Amino acid sequence: MTASERVRAARGALTMVQAEPFNAEAPPEALTTDITPTELHYVRSNFALPEHDGLLHVGGTVANPLTLTLDDLRALPAVTRAVTLECAGNGRLGQTPLPEGEPWGRYAVSTARWTGARLCEVLDRAGCSADGVDVRFQGADHGPYHQHEDLRFVRSLDLVHAADPSAEILIAYDMNGEPLDADHGAPFRLIVPHWYGVASVKWLERIDVITTDYAGEFQVGHYMYEWPDRPHEPVTAMRVRARITDPAPGAELPAGTCTIRGKAWSGTGPVTKVELSFTGAGDWHPARLDIRQEPYAWQDWSFEWTVSRPGRYSLRARATDAAGNVQSEVPPWNRLGYGNNAVEVQHVDIR
Ligand SMILES: Nc1nc2c(c(=O)[nH]1)N[C@H]1C(S)=C(S)[C@@H](COP(=O)(O)O)O[C@H]1N2
Ligand SMILES: [Mo]
């Protein structure tokens, strides 16, 4: 297979949202497994697939600027982590009035096993100067973007966060045990656990430690919550969210006992509670939350539901995390439609 045939084959199982640049949601069944197979992992790219020369330059205000190859990164101690990535625009179609931006449904979320070198280790080798404030991550991709004729994908993190070993930020080169493919950022990308996907810069080509807060388009223009009634805020950690994966929306089931299953995740602390409701307003019942195996991945939950009376039932699942964040019923509307973690409503018909 040629490289472009490989890319086409890898895209076939996804639900396309935009053909070029290619953007696609995972199919619903991708939420039923712990690890999303690579060919079912959603894809979100702002620009066409770039060429990458295979080098990672580390510079800015550092003592030892570095140029690293894939082999150099592979020679560093490797860390593997299952990480749930969700696009900040996931669920935009559920916002009213509909904001501008890609019309994502509910499946721009997936969990892969990422392997790479620790970002903190690379920064340590480069020797960050004391006046460093921010770390700027540049992707190889670029193109027209709103008012910009030719913009590059660049994001930043606070140096304190980037250099924190406990944040476990990776420069990943393997996804689910295979080298990264083109759509997911080959040859290497950032993986920032707990944050919305936008922080995880693909096709990484430059890392620069800088002495001011980075203020590029993807940092302070887009990927900002533009609240109607309070100050704007940057998109950072994933908001707490539970999803029902089984039964499917609108399913017809016989009366009796059925197991309702789903996933829940949050970037602001482990999910501590998932509750279910079968009526509008009120009456929340605790679901069984599985022991958390992986600190950065979604958790399974389930509920044994016994129902004897035929009819239509509304199902809602609501998650709470350790920081006390809980999903609301009404999507937190903002102009660009980010972070919709509202409680979803679906129905099942009992026959
Ligand atoms: N270089 C680059 N990195 C990027 C993007 C991009 O457009 N260019 N999109 C970001 C966004 S918005 C998301 S949600 C994730 C998606 O990662 P995936 O395509 O591997 O699912 O990549 C992020 N990293
Ligand atoms: Mo995203």
Side-chain angles (χ1 to χ4, degrees):
M1 268 204 276
T2 66
S4 61
E5 281 167 348
R6 263 200 305 280
V7 167
R8 232 172 299 127
R11 291 174 172 181
L14 297 173
T15 311
M16 202 241 287
V17 170
Q18 190 173 293
E20 190 53 50
F22 183 71
N23 282 279
E25 301 196 20
E29 67 267 24
L31 261 77
T32 60
T33 52
D34 287 343
I35 298 297
T36 313
T38 302
E39 66 276 12
L40 303 186
H41 194 290
Y42 82 94
V43 175
R44 200 291 177 251
S45 298
N46 284 275
F47 303 115
L49 290 180
E51 297 289 326
H52 191 290
D53 66 5
L55 298 177
L56 175 60
H57 302 279
V58 185
T61 177
V62 298
N64 318 300
L66 307 169
T67 298
L68 302 172
T69 63
L70 180 56
D71 286 343
D72 294 333
L73 289 170
R74 285 191 185 273
L76 295 173
V79 176
T80 299
R81 291 280 178 265
V83 179
T84 296
L85 287 185
E86 180 179 21
C87 184
N90 193 29
R92 184 176 282 127
L93 274 178
Q95 300 248 15
T96 310
L98 184 64
E100 65 173 71
E102 281 62 36
W104 294 107
R106 302 182 301 151
Y107 291 96
V109 57
S110 304
T111 300
R113 215 181 282 288
W114 302 94
T115 304
R118 289 170 190 271
L119 173 64
C120 62
E121 176 136 0
V122 170
L123 290 174
D124 201 45
R125 281 175 190 232
C128 301
S129 312
D131 57 352
V133 169
D134 247 13
V135 186
R136 187 180 168 280
F137 302 92
Q138 179 175 311
D141 53 328
H142 60 95
Y145 189 82
H146 297 268
Q147 74 278 21
H148 304 271
E149 252 170 61
D150 188 21
L151 186 70
R152 207 162 265 281
F153 190 86
V154 180
R155 287 275 307 179
S156 72
L157 294 171
D158 290 344
L159 175 56
V160 175
H161 180 201
D164 178 1
S166 71
E168 303 217 81
I169 300 169
L170 302 183
I171 303 173
Y173 40 73
D174 283 353
M175 178 182 187
N176 296 333
E178 306 271 355
L180 294 195
D181 70 13
D183 278 326
H184 296 293
F188 27 72
R189 72 177 300 173
L190 213 57
I191 288 291
V192 184
H194 284 157
W195 280 45
Y196 278 114
V198 64
S200 295
V201 177
K202 304 194 277 189
W203 312 291
L204 188 60
E205 63 173 19
R206 282 205 65 88
I207 299 178
D208 288 290
V209 180
I210 59 175
T211 56
T212 53
D213 285 323
Y214 176 67
E217 177 62 47
F218 290 102
Q219 199 74 26
V220 301
H222 277 73
Y223 299 94
M224 290 289 292
Y225 293 115
E226 295 190 20
W227 304 116
D229 51 357
R230 53 199 162 103
H232 298 179
E233 288 172 279
V235 163
T236 58
M238 296 185 294
R239 298 161 69 92
V240 62
R241 191 164 189 193
R243 297 289 308 277
I244 299 172
T245 57
D246 197 31
E252 290 190 13
L253 302 171
T257 298
C258 96
T259 307
I260 302 173
R261 290 174 210 283
K263 292 277 192 277
W265 63 92
S266 170
T268 52
V271 173
T272 49
K273 186 164 70 175
V274 173
E275 300 159 290
L276 282 239
S277 167
F278 306 96
T279 55
D283 278 355
W284 291 95
H285 308 278
R288 197 178 74 98
L289 189 60
D290 280 10
I291 302 293
R292 183 180 165 83
Q293 310 285 2
E294 295 272 359
Y296 310 119
W298 53 28
Q299 287 162 262
D300 281 313
W301 57 263
S302 60
F303 186 90
E304 297 297 315
W305 183 40
T306 303
V307 55
S308 51
R309 276 170 47 149
R312 174 163 292 176
Y313 290 81
S314 56
L315 297 191
R316 292 178 299 160
R318 178 175 78 177
T320 302
D321 71 19
N325 295 304
V326 55
Q327 291 178 259
S328 65
E329 298 278 342
V330 179
W333 193 91
N334 54 97
R335 190 180 69 88
L336 297 170
Y338 296 125
N340 178 3
N341 69 330
V343 173
E344 290 162 0
V345 183
Q346 57 160 280
H347 74 268
V348 293
D349 292 328
I350 302 296
R351 295 283 173 243

